[in-house]
Amino acid sequence: MIEFQNVYKNYRVAGLDIPALQPTNLRIEPGQIFGLIGHSGAGKSTLLRLINRLEPCSGGRILVDGIEVTALDAAGLLGFRRQVGMIFQHFNLLASKTVADNVALPLKLAGELSGKQIQQRVSELLERVGLSEHAQRYPAQLSGGQKQRVGIARALATKPKILLCDEATSALDPQTTVQVLQLLAEINRELNLTIVLITHEMDVIRRVCDRVAVMDAGAIVEQGPVTEVFLHPQHPTTKGFVQDAEQIDESEQRDDFAHVPGRILRLTFQGQATYAPLLGRVARETGVDYSILAGRIDHIKDTPYGQLTLALTGGDFAAALARFDAGDVHVEVLR
Ligand code: ADP
């Protein structure tokens, strides 16, 4: 749906070219929720804004659904932008217009529907985002979560194929964040909409994204399916984000369990393996005893996963290791 071919972006500041995006190749498949994560200044907004050409790129080619965005003229760009909705951290609603009028605005600008058709479409959209009762309110009378729902309804008004989300939940409290992410996931499923979202929180990626790219200093340093990147991060930046999301504090990182006897393993399992009664079976069959030193069982989008740090004593350690390895489990020997 979206392809970057050697795309780069410099900003010209006081006569100097400041690089914001290094030459980048990227593919985002249709119907995917694709997350871009990085610290402030990593180049996420720049990359996102290149997709709908809110920023022109300095070089390379961008293809969206077969259209070469980088080659469009002004009229072509106007039509193309109707296929790409966008929502923002601070919602960008017009304070002087009601909820219904905010959602109607892109339809009025497009000029393709009659007043009655616009009314009909707006009421469908408001129903979809759960705001029918608030149609005649003004943005100032809404909560943050409700404002973002208006933003989503407005972004969907022209039936886009792609939705770009620029830190869409960063101004919301954790509970509202979860609700807005759920709404995005539902819309993605129902409309087969491709969603690209940028965030600095791994938890947002974990909850809704299928794939993730990690950005650092204007470059994508790691990317893959979220389960893979989250459970087996490679780049130091990715590892930092995962640790933040897992709320692993420094003492836990530093503690190498020096006072615990035996061998130490970390097991990572996902999907059906999460429910397999593996520990007891391996203990019985190999005679090892185990104690659980640290552990976490949660979900990455719809996939259950677990990560357990174990101390093993007694029995046949090599046989236990082989049995864990043969199951659907990723094993790391920590000591
Ligand atoms: P992020 O979204 O990850 O915080 P940005 O894409 O906003 O990162 O910024 C990437 C880099 O480009 C930063 O160094 C930032 O200062 C710079 N930058 C962003 N927008 C502009 C601009 N309009 N003019 C000049 N420099 C900019």
Side-chain angles (χ1 to χ4, degrees), residues 115-183:
K116 208 174 164 67
Q117 287 169 318
I118 290 178
Q119 239 181 19
Q120 173 68 25
R121 176 105 186 103
V122 169
S123 82
E124 282 165 21
L125 287 159
L126 289 181
E127 191 175 335
R128 180 61 199 86
V129 300
L131 285 181
S132 299
E133 286 162 25
H134 300 312
Q136 296 313 317
R137 289 208 188 175
Y138 288 88
Q141 299 170 310
L142 302 177
S143 70
Q146 290 170 332
K147 283 182 204 167
Q148 195 55 290
R149 285 169 188 272
V150 180
I152 291 170
R154 182 184 55 186
L156 296 178
T158 54
K159 302 192 173 170
K161 294 180 181 160
I162 297 173
L163 179 64
L164 307 179
C165 309
D166 188 350
E167 295 277 6
T169 55
S170 298
L172 305 176
D173 62 64
Q175 204 179 348
T176 312
T177 293
V178 171
Q179 291 165 356
V180 168
L181 292 176
Q182 267 168 1
L183 177 61

Side-chain angles (χ1 to χ4, degrees), residues 37-39 199-203 205 214-216 221-222 229-250 253 296:
I37 188 168
H39 294 293
T199 179
H200 58 277
E201 289 172 282
M202 199 63 175
D203 208 46
I205 302 279
V214 184
M215 293 193 71
D216 194 26
V221 293
E222 183 166 358
V229 172
F230 193 85
L231 294 178
H232 309 293
Q234 304 296 320
H235 191 275
T237 302
T238 319
K239 289 181 180 171
F241 278 119
V242 171
Q243 275 166 6
D244 285 352
E246 303 275 70
Q247 294 174 334
I248 298 171
D249 66 25
E250 273 186 53
Q253 283 175 52
R296 194 176 309 276

Side-chain angles (χ1 to χ4, degrees), residues 11-13 18-20 38-47 55 198:
Y11 288 105
R12 200 150 182 87
V13 182
I18 310 291
H39 294 293
S40 180
K44 309 180 294 294
S45 301
T46 299
L47 194 158
E55 286 288 349
I198 65 176

Side-chain angles (χ1 to χ4, degrees), residues 261-274:
R263 304 293 300 267
I264 296 185
L265 293 183
R266 181 162 50 218
L267 306 183
T268 303
F269 35 91
Q270 55 172 289
Q272 279 310 309
T274 312

